[in-house]
Amino acid sequence: LTLTPTLTLTLARKMRPLALAALLLLCGGAAGLASPRVGAKAPAFVPPPPKEDDTVDQFCRATNALFRQLTIKPVRDYIDVVESSDASGPLNTIDTLTTPPQVPGVPRPVWLTILGSVPTGLVWYGYYKFSVEEELFQDELRREGRVTGCGGYGTLLPFVFCILGGGAASILPPFCFTPLGGLLIQAGSAWILLGQVNLYRRVNELWVEKYGGEAPLHAWWALLPPPLDVVVGLRQVHFLSKFWTDVRGEDWKGDVVAEELFPFISSERFTLKEFVTQPKRWFWFSKEWEDLDFLDPPKPQK
């Protein structure tokens, strides 16, 4: 992945909320703000050892374990995965926003994700990113005995170390006279973007495995510029939330943002052309608009 200086700066600015959220995790800020733990600590689970020829599983587990150890203990004790409490039923809004990652994963609909992200300047989205990655890591390890993602620790913390290290190297001598700072920022940006593609791939696999049919996400859209990367990101939030709702045996209560206000979030998968030319997918007020044909080749005149 080749990044120009302009793109590198854009990515760094775009990713700063994630870096800040991860920094809060490292420094203990999340533990001080959080509500009491929901559920009990997950029972001891001893996964089978990675196969000698399974380098993907080995790499992902090692990366997760390394960065988990680099997280200070009070924070690690809070954000380690917990067992969901079946007796308590579905979580309320505050508990959903503040709960540690759970097994099975926590449904976090789009409206709630926006509620947590916008007032905090997207800082809460960093915690969301950590939580869903760690939940998928633990779920995959329990179901498959191997993993294809690095979990919350291994996905978010390498990124924040690269961004913070790159920022420091860009202003502190003698590193500021070298390309080290820019290289670290590029590496961190590439890591988080490729991790996002991998997240969408795993959500697709879970969805097709459970429901069949077509995968809901175009994973490669994560690499597209805004707003298309936001489009697929919101769709991931929605479909993963519905998946965890079913896995936990809870009733889906609907999502006014995803299912009414912005139909593209919950609709069947569509192409770039369909998104541009079908207003019915855009907003609640454009559902009845006719399709546009400006991208279709002109018909030959007879």
Side-chain angles (χ1 to χ4, degrees), residues 9-22 121-123 159-160 163:
L9 181 59
T10 301
L11 288 172
R13 290 173 176 171
K14 180 179 178 181
M15 301 300 181
R16 276 185 298 185
L18 284 177
L20 178 57
L122 295 182
V123 170
F159 159 74
V160 74
I163 297 299

Side-chain angles (χ1 to χ4, degrees), residues 120-276:
T120 61
L122 295 182
V123 170
W124 184 85
Y125 179 75
Y127 188 62
Y128 169 87
K129 173 69 174 173
F130 172 87
S131 297
V132 298
E133 289 283 1
E134 193 65 18
E135 288 169 349
L136 288 173
F137 179 91
Q138 297 294 337
D139 174 76
E140 190 175 23
L141 194 57
R142 284 162 170 75
R143 289 186 303 104
E144 305 289 342
R146 66 184 299 270
V147 292
T148 56
C150 294
Y153 293 104
T155 300
L156 196 60
L157 297 189
F159 159 74
V160 74
F161 287 158
C162 284
I163 297 299
L164 295 180
S170 298
I171 60 176
L172 297 177
F175 306 108
C176 60
F177 303 110
T178 72
L180 177 61
L183 290 175
L184 285 174
I185 291 175
Q186 288 191 14
S189 300
W191 179 263
I192 202 71
L193 286 175
L194 293 176
Q196 201 73 358
V197 173
N198 193 37
L199 169 63
Y200 299 159
R201 176 193 64 80
R202 286 175 289 153
V203 171
N204 277 340
E205 288 182 352
L206 289 173
W207 187 268
V208 172
E209 180 181 323
K210 186 170 182 62
Y211 304 107
E214 187 178 39
L217 309 175
H218 291 289
W220 63 273
W221 281 25
L223 304 177
L224 296 177
L228 296 173
D229 60 339
V230 178
V231 168
V232 69
L234 291 171
R235 286 174 60 79
Q236 172 263 305
V237 172
H238 174 71
F239 286 100
L240 183 59
S241 180
K242 291 198 71 174
F243 172 81
W244 285 134
T245 298
D246 285 347
V247 170
R248 293 164 71 103
E250 299 174 2
D251 294 329
W252 177 250
K253 297 181 179 179
D255 187 334
V256 64
V257 173
E259 297 172 331
E260 297 183 27
L261 298 181
F262 302 99
F264 68 84
I265 298 176
S266 58
S267 76
E268 72 280 1
R269 190 165 77 163
F270 47 83
T271 64
L272 288 173
K273 179 181 177 181
E274 288 171 336
F275 181 61
V276 172

